[in-house]
Amino acid sequence: FQLKYIYQTTTLAAAGSNTYPQATTEWDDIPRYIGGINNAVDSCVTSSYTIAEGSSDRDADLQSAIKEACPNVIKKWPSVGYKWPAGMPRSLYTNTGIFKVTDSMGNTTEYIHTPVSTGFNTPPPPYPYSPRITQIKVNNKVKMEYSYITDPAPGSFSSGIDYTTFNWPQPQGRLLKSWIGSDEILYGIFAPYITNQNDTEGKTQTSSSGYKAISKVYMTPRYGAFKVSSWDKDVTLEQQFSNRATSIVNILGGTTTELGYFCENVNSITVNGMLTGSAAGFVNCNLSNFKTCNQATSMTDAKGYVTDYIYDPVTGLPSTVTLPADRNNVRPQTRYQYQPYYAYYKKAGSASVTRADTPVYLISRESKCQKTSASGNGCTDPNDEIVTLYEYGPQDGTANNLFLRGVIVTATNSKGSRESRRTCYAYDDYGNQIGVTKPKADLSACL
């Protein structure tokens, strides 16, 4: 699939003073239209395509923009149009601006931005005003409105700031409430005022309602938040750049959950002092194991039951999952196999179908035992094995998006013989599943 971007040249705002963001070359071209194309059906060049600012508006017929950029396309493809305020980005800091999005169905969403005071009067950044979304409209009907507030007495600002000792300012342009009609939500977000990284208190501001509000956030300049208190939970975070949650106190339920980590993964969960889950087998990553590292080779639940995992070295996905023993002391096991498949599609505007340069690995086979133990890649009783095969269409040069075309399940029936059942799936050119053929159709292959 291809996302075709059509850019619009923009008239850069004059440089002027430093009061507002400088217009830079990054804003010379901004996305104006984007089309989604199935390259197994149609094709478009991958080179950049740009239209001039103020050129004829194609929002009423997005396909005309796609057709202009991709003259060889035949089908009508989903597209979206974006209309930006003139003089971006500076204009949003000085005047109310509207960012408009038009979808393939002709629906238009407008995001109205309004400059909100930041409490700063001495640029460069932070600027005296900053844009905030104050209203959202869909097909000219108001869907949501927002208001903001800037807390007084910001801290001092200077360039070359030392962020470990900086006196953080009060929030600028923080969200105060959102509403639609008479239905409104108030936000009581914290207002941090921390003097150094060793401080453990945060100034707070509580919502007038309190319900579902964040009531208090504790911060340090170096690592940010280290504790968040809301109406129903207290969450404690590590004082490290990862900021991982280490403790969650459920105020309503009266439970405390503690999380342990290894290799950035949760490897233990303790609730009210009782271990409810743990994982083991994590190894540090290197160039030879990056597909399988940071994954647990076993997980233990609160009752001590263990599930074991083995991973495919090529894909990093599970190749074997062995569950805890059942009442018959049999450990159910499921095995997975993966194969490389190539998509076939029209590249870079070409009319002919060619194979992708690289394959993708997809699951091709799944097997498990119903009642007996696993033995090697099968079961101690071969007739006990259930095998599922997955089909993704031909690999013979025919256009192919590698959608799942068929699923074949083979098992032993009530008469003691092996029997296969095939389910087939159909898709339209846009990737939507439009049909399912059940096993009773007794198809020998999926189209």
Side-chain angles (χ1 to χ4, degrees), residues 10-13 23-24 27 30 53 84-92 99:
T10 182
T11 302
L12 298 178
T24 61
W27 288 92
I30 54 180
E53 183 180 35
W84 304 75
M88 291 286 291
R90 179 173 301 179
S91 59
L92 288 182
F99 173 60

Side-chain angles (χ1 to χ4, degrees), residues 119-306:
F120 286 93
N121 297 313
T122 308
Y127 302 104
Y129 292 91
S130 184
R132 297 288 189 271
I133 294 178
T134 52
Q135 190 179 73
I136 299 176
K137 299 167 68 176
V138 178
N139 294 332
N140 211 32
K141 182 178 180 180
V142 176
K143 290 296 183 179
M144 188 62 69
E145 298 189 74
Y146 305 90
S147 65
Y148 304 83
I149 188 173
T150 293
D151 293 318
S156 59
F157 178 84
S158 63
S159 58
I161 183 175
D162 179 358
Y163 284 99
T164 62
T165 59
F166 178 55
N167 207 12
W168 285 89
Q170 306 299 312
Q172 306 101 42
R174 66 178 176 86
L175 183 61
L176 180 64
K177 73 173 182 177
S178 61
W179 73 96
I180 177 68
S182 60
D183 186 10
E184 66 178 26
I185 298 176
L186 301 176
Y187 298 89
I189 308 300
F190 74 101
Y193 194 74
I194 307 300
T195 56
N196 60 66
Q197 63 179 351
N198 297 317
D199 283 347
T200 58
E201 285 297 324
K203 180 183 176 183
T204 64
Q205 186 165 347
T206 304
S207 167
S208 59
S209 63
Y211 178 61
K212 291 190 176 180
I214 296 176
S215 59
K216 187 176 292 188
V217 175
Y218 301 93
M219 295 184 67
T220 61
R222 183 163 190 158
Y223 299 117
F226 65 89
K227 184 177 180 181
V228 180
S229 297
S230 66
W231 68 288
D232 65 337
K233 291 183 179 67
D234 284 333
V235 180
T236 302
L237 309 171
E238 282 183 338
Q239 279 294 278
Q240 297 180 19
F241 289 113
S242 57
N243 273 20
R244 299 176 299 195
T246 58
S247 174
I248 302 173
V249 178
N250 189 323
I251 298 172
L252 300 181
T255 59
T256 299
T257 301
E258 296 178 344
L259 306 173
Y261 294 86
F262 182 82
C263 289
E264 303 299 323
N265 293 289
V266 175
N267 70 342
S268 67
I269 302 175
T270 303
V271 179
N272 288 347
M274 180 179 295
L275 186 67
T276 61
S278 63
F282 297 109
V283 295
N284 289 312
C285 293
N286 56 55
L287 292 178
S288 64
N289 71 356
F290 66 92
K291 287 290 185 70
T292 58
C293 64
N294 272 0
Q295 301 195 79
T297 57
S298 69
M299 292 188 181
T300 305
D301 64 20
K303 295 184 178 181
Y305 297 136
V306 178

